[in-house]
Amino acid sequence: TGAISSLQRQMEIQESELRRIKSEKELLQKQLRVREVQFQAVSDKLCSLTEEQRHEEAVVMMEEENQNLQQVVAEQEFQLAEQNKLISELQGTISQLQAEVVTTRLHLLEQKQAQKETQSQFEALQHTELQTRVALELISSKFERYRNKIIQATFSVEGIQDPQGELTDDELLEAMQKIFNERTEFQQMLKNKSSR
């Protein structure tokens, strides 16, 4: 937004300069028309003189006026050419600034769109995280109940001492292995007795 404002300010300055130059151009054209009127007045004055006077004075005055007018016209044509060149440059600069404004606005729109997409992805990730946490809590709860049932079943067996305090997984596995080994030994003993 700051870049667009800066570009627009530059464009306004260039347009103001363009208006000033066009105004100066119009003033020069007016001055040229005034010179043409003066030249016409001189021509009219010559018409009222006698033929000989008219001829002599006309030659002198025409030469002087012609030189003056040629100099003025040359100067004004030079100034007009310079102003036309400057106007062309200013119009090119304005076009470039307008293109930069459009590009900057498009870039801002792309950034906003990317920000919306990122926000949408972030919200989707948050939702997925929440679902995962709920599922994890549910699994943890089921696992804890299952573990408690295993503990109850393990330590309800005759001959197994109740745990002292919090029971680790290794201690639970050790107790279950002990029951399994005792059952295996007992079954082996029964087989030996039955074979005898």
Side-chain angles (χ1 to χ4, degrees), residues 63-168:
E63 286 177 355
E64 290 178 357
E65 192 64 24
N66 191 34
Q67 287 178 355
N68 292 336
L69 284 173
Q70 283 178 348
Q71 185 177 355
V72 169
V73 168
E75 290 174 357
Q76 291 184 346
E77 284 178 348
F78 177 76
Q79 289 180 5
L80 285 174
E82 288 293 314
Q83 288 180 349
N84 285 333
K85 180 182 175 183
L86 186 55
I87 286 170
S88 179
E89 290 175 356
L90 287 172
Q91 286 174 336
T93 304
I94 288 169
S95 297
Q96 183 181 352
L97 290 171
Q98 287 173 336
E100 288 179 14
V101 167
V102 171
T103 303
T104 306
R105 284 179 176 164
L106 286 175
H107 185 60
L108 284 174
L109 287 174
E110 288 172 359
Q111 284 184 332
K112 285 182 180 178
Q113 184 64 30
Q115 187 177 5
K116 284 182 182 178
E117 290 175 2
T118 305
Q119 183 66 27
S120 177
Q121 290 174 357
F122 177 71
E123 290 172 357
L125 285 172
Q126 280 186 323
H127 183 66
T128 303
E129 182 189 10
L130 181 61
Q131 288 181 325
T132 305
R133 284 184 180 177
V134 170
L136 182 61
E137 288 176 3
L138 183 62
I139 291 169
S140 298
S141 177
K142 286 183 179 179
F143 175 75
E144 194 61 34
R145 287 199 300 272
Y146 180 68
R147 187 175 184 276
N148 288 336
K149 286 180 180 179
I150 292 173
I151 292 171
Q152 289 175 1
T154 301
F155 290 94
S156 64
V157 175
E158 188 176 346
I160 300 295
Q161 294 181 351
D162 289 337
Q164 302 295 322
E166 189 70 25
L167 190 65
T168 65

